[in-house]
Coordinates of all heavy atoms in Angstrom, one line a residue:
Y1 N 40.4 -4.3 8.0 CA 39.7 -4.0 9.2 C 39.8 -2.5 9.5 O 38.7 -1.8 9.7 CB 40.2 -4.9 10.3 CG 39.5 -4.5 11.7 CD1 38.3 -5.1 12.1 CD2 40.2 -3.6 12.5 CE1 37.8 -4.8 13.3 CE2 39.6 -3.3 13.8 CZ 38.4 -3.9 14.1 OH 37.8 -3.6 15.3
Y2 N 41.0 -2.0 9.7 CA 41.2 -0.6 10.2 C 40.6 0.4 9.3 O 39.8 1.3 9.8 CB 42.6 -0.4 10.5 CG 42.8 0.9 11.3 CD1 42.7 1.0 12.6 CD2 43.2 2.1 10.6 CE1 42.8 2.2 13.3 CE2 43.4 3.3 11.2 CZ 43.2 3.3 12.6 OH 43.4 4.5 13.3
P3 N 40.9 0.4 8.0 CA 40.3 1.5 7.2 C 38.8 1.4 7.1 O 38.2 2.5 7.0 CB 41.0 1.3 5.8 CG 41.5 -0.1 5.8 CD 41.9 -0.4 7.3
L4 N 38.2 0.2 7.1 CA 36.8 0.1 7.0 C 36.2 0.7 8.3 O 35.1 1.4 8.2 CB 36.4 -1.4 6.9 CG 36.6 -2.0 5.5 CD1 36.2 -3.4 5.5 CD2 35.7 -1.2 4.4
M5 N 36.7 0.4 9.5 CA 36.2 0.9 10.7 C 36.3 2.5 10.7 O 35.4 3.2 11.2 CB 37.0 0.3 11.9 CG 36.7 -1.2 12.1 SD 35.0 -1.6 12.6 CE 35.0 -1.0 14.3
Q6 N 37.4 3.0 10.2 CA 37.6 4.4 10.2 C 36.7 5.1 9.1 O 36.2 6.2 9.3 CB 39.1 4.8 9.8 CG 40.1 4.4 11.0 CD 39.8 5.1 12.3 OE1 39.0 4.6 13.1 NE2 40.4 6.2 12.5
L7 N 36.5 4.4 8.0 CA 35.5 4.9 7.0 C 34.1 4.9 7.6 O 33.3 5.9 7.3 CB 35.6 4.1 5.8 CG 36.7 4.4 4.8 CD1 36.9 3.3 3.8 CD2 36.6 5.7 4.2
C8 N 33.8 3.9 8.4 CA 32.5 3.9 9.1 C 32.3 5.2 9.9 O 31.3 5.9 9.9 CB 32.3 2.6 9.9 SG 30.8 2.5 10.8
L9 N 33.4 5.4 10.7 CA 33.4 6.6 11.6 C 33.3 7.9 10.8 O 32.5 8.8 11.1 CB 34.6 6.5 12.5 CG 34.9 7.8 13.4 CD1 33.8 8.0 14.4 CD2 36.3 7.7 14.0
T10 N 34.2 8.0 9.8 CA 34.4 9.3 9.1 C 33.1 9.6 8.3 O 32.6 10.8 8.4 CB 35.5 9.2 8.1 OG1 36.7 8.8 8.9 CG2 35.8 10.5 7.4
C11 N 32.5 8.6 7.7 CA 31.3 8.9 6.9 C 30.1 9.2 7.9 O 29.3 10.1 7.5 CB 30.9 7.7 6.1 SG 32.0 7.4 4.7
D12 N 30.1 8.6 9.0 CA 29.1 9.0 10.0 C 29.2 10.4 10.4 O 28.2 11.2 10.5 CB 29.2 8.1 11.2 CG 28.1 8.4 12.3 OD1 26.9 8.0 12.0 OD2 28.4 8.9 13.3
R13 N 30.4 10.9 10.6 CA 30.6 12.3 11.0 C 30.3 13.2 9.9 O 29.9 14.4 10.1 CB 32.1 12.5 11.4 CG 32.4 11.9 12.8 CD 33.8 12.2 13.2 NE 34.2 11.6 14.5 CZ 35.3 11.7 15.1 NH1 36.3 12.4 14.5 NH2 35.6 11.1 16.2
L14 N 30.5 12.8 8.6 CA 30.1 13.6 7.5 C 28.6 13.6 7.2 O 28.1 14.3 6.3 CB 30.8 13.0 6.2 CG 32.3 13.4 6.1 CD1 33.0 12.5 5.0 CD2 32.5 14.8 5.8
G15 N 27.9 12.8 8.0 CA 26.4 12.7 7.7 C 26.1 11.8 6.6 O 24.9 11.7 6.2
Q16 N 27.0 11.0 6.1 CA 26.8 10.0 5.0 C 26.4 8.7 5.7 O 27.2 7.7 5.7 CB 28.1 9.9 4.2 CG 28.5 11.3 3.5 CD 29.8 11.3 2.9 OE1 30.6 10.3 3.0 NE2 30.2 12.3 2.2
R17 N 25.2 8.6 6.2 CA 24.8 7.4 6.9 C 24.8 6.1 6.1 O 25.2 5.1 6.6 CB 23.4 7.7 7.5 CG 23.3 8.9 8.4 CD 24.0 8.7 9.7 NE 23.9 9.9 10.5 CZ 24.4 10.1 11.7 NH1 25.1 9.1 12.2 NH2 24.2 11.2 12.4
E18 N 24.3 6.2 4.9 CA 24.3 5.0 4.1 C 25.7 4.4 3.8 O 25.9 3.2 3.9 CB 23.5 5.2 2.8 CG 22.0 5.5 3.0 CD 21.3 5.6 1.6 OE1 22.0 5.4 0.6 OE2 20.1 5.9 1.6
Q19 N 26.6 5.3 3.5 CA 28.0 4.9 3.3 C 28.6 4.3 4.5 O 29.3 3.3 4.5 CB 28.8 6.0 2.7 CG 28.5 6.4 1.3 CD 29.6 7.3 0.7 OE1 30.8 7.1 0.9 NE2 29.2 8.3 0.0
S20 N 28.3 5.0 5.6 CA 28.9 4.6 6.9 C 28.4 3.2 7.2 O 29.2 2.3 7.6 CB 28.4 5.5 8.0 OG 28.9 5.1 9.3
Y21 N 27.1 2.9 7.0 CA 26.5 1.6 7.3 C 27.1 0.5 6.3 O 27.3 -0.6 6.7 CB 25.0 1.6 7.2 CG 24.4 0.3 7.6 CD1 24.5 -0.1 9.0 CD2 23.7 -0.5 6.7 CE1 23.9 -1.3 9.4 CE2 23.1 -1.7 7.1 CZ 23.2 -2.1 8.4 OH 22.6 -3.3 8.8
M22 N 27.3 1.0 5.1 CA 27.9 0.0 4.1 C 29.3 -0.4 4.5 O 29.6 -1.6 4.4 CB 28.0 0.8 2.7 CG 28.7 -0.1 1.6 SD 29.0 0.9 0.1 CE 30.4 1.9 0.7
Y23 N 30.1 0.5 5.0 CA 31.4 0.1 5.4 C 31.4 -0.8 6.7 O 32.1 -1.7 6.8 CB 32.3 1.3 5.7 CG 32.7 2.0 4.4 CD1 32.4 3.4 4.2 CD2 33.4 1.4 3.4 CE1 32.7 4.1 3.1 CE2 33.8 2.1 2.3 CZ 33.4 3.4 2.1 OH 33.8 4.0 0.9
H24 N 30.4 -0.5 7.5 CA 30.2 -1.3 8.7 C 29.9 -2.8 8.3 O 30.4 -3.7 8.9 CB 29.1 -0.7 9.6 CG 28.5 -1.7 10.6 ND1 29.3 -2.2 11.6 CD2 27.3 -2.3 10.6 CE1 28.5 -3.0 12.3 NE2 27.3 -3.2 11.7
K25 N 29.0 -2.9 7.4 CA 28.5 -4.3 7.0 C 29.7 -5.0 6.3 O 29.8 -6.2 6.4 CB 27.3 -4.2 6.0 CG 26.1 -3.6 6.6 CD 25.6 -4.5 7.8 CE 25.2 -5.8 7.5 NZ 24.7 -6.6 8.6
M26 N 30.6 -4.3 5.6 CA 31.7 -4.9 4.9 C 32.6 -5.6 6.0 O 33.1 -6.7 5.8 CB 32.5 -3.9 4.1 CG 31.7 -3.5 2.8 SD 32.6 -2.2 2.0 CE 34.1 -3.0 1.5
V27 N 32.9 -4.9 7.1 CA 33.8 -5.4 8.1 C 33.1 -6.4 8.9 O 33.7 -7.4 9.4 CB 34.4 -4.3 8.9 CG1 33.4 -3.6 9.8 CG2 35.6 -4.8 9.7
A28 N 31.8 -6.2 9.1 CA 31.0 -7.2 9.9 C 30.9 -8.5 9.3 O 30.7 -9.5 10.0 CB 29.6 -6.6 10.2
Q29 N 30.9 -8.6 8.0 CA 30.8 -9.9 7.3 C 32.0 -10.8 7.7 O 31.9 -12.0 7.8 CB 30.8 -9.7 5.8 CG 29.5 -9.2 5.3 CD 29.5 -8.9 3.8 OE1 30.5 -9.2 3.1 NE2 28.3 -8.5 3.2
K30 N 33.2 -10.2 7.9 CA 34.4 -11.0 8.3 C 34.6 -11.1 9.8 O 35.1 -12.1 10.3 CB 35.6 -10.4 7.6 CG 36.8 -11.2 7.7 CD 38.0 -10.7 6.9 CE 39.2 -11.6 7.0 NZ 40.4 -11.1 6.2
Y31 N 34.2 -10.0 10.5 CA 34.5 -10.0 11.9 C 33.2 -9.7 12.7 O 33.1 -8.7 13.4 CB 35.5 -8.9 12.3 CG 36.8 -9.1 11.5 CD1 37.2 -8.3 10.5 CD2 37.7 -10.2 11.9 CE1 38.5 -8.5 9.9 CE2 38.9 -10.3 11.3 CZ 39.3 -9.5 10.2 OH 40.5 -9.7 9.6
P32 N 32.2 -10.5 12.6 CA 30.9 -10.2 13.3 C 31.0 -10.2 14.8 O 30.2 -9.5 15.4 CB 30.0 -11.4 12.8 CG 30.9 -12.5 12.5 CD 32.2 -11.8 11.9
D33 N 32.0 -10.9 15.4 CA 32.1 -11.0 16.8 C 33.1 -10.0 17.4 O 33.3 -10.0 18.6 CB 32.4 -12.4 17.2 CG 31.4 -13.4 16.8 OD1 30.2 -13.1 16.9 OD2 31.8 -14.5 16.4
D34 N 33.7 -9.2 16.6 CA 34.6 -8.2 17.1 C 33.8 -7.2 18.0 O 32.8 -6.7 17.6 CB 35.3 -7.4 15.9 CG 36.2 -6.4 16.4 OD1 37.4 -6.7 16.7 OD2 35.8 -5.2 16.4
P35 N 34.3 -6.9 19.2 CA 33.6 -6.0 20.1 C 33.2 -4.6 19.5 O 32.1 -4.1 19.7 CB 34.6 -5.8 21.3 CG 35.4 -7.1 21.2 CD 35.5 -7.4 19.8
S36 N 34.2 -4.0 18.7 CA 33.9 -2.7 18.1 C 32.8 -2.9 17.0 O 32.0 -1.9 16.8 CB 35.1 -2.1 17.5 OG 36.1 -1.9 18.5
V37 N 32.8 -4.0 16.3 CA 31.8 -4.2 15.3 C 30.4 -4.4 15.9 O 29.4 -3.9 15.5 CB 32.2 -5.4 14.4 CG1 31.0 -5.8 13.4 CG2 33.4 -5.1 13.6

């Protein structure tokens, strides 16, 4: 959970939108109802 959320944030800051969204979807598959997700 934590590294995927941080990768989503880090890639977004790097302007790597597709990678950021990819990491988001990976964590969302397991924790769709998590408030941060």
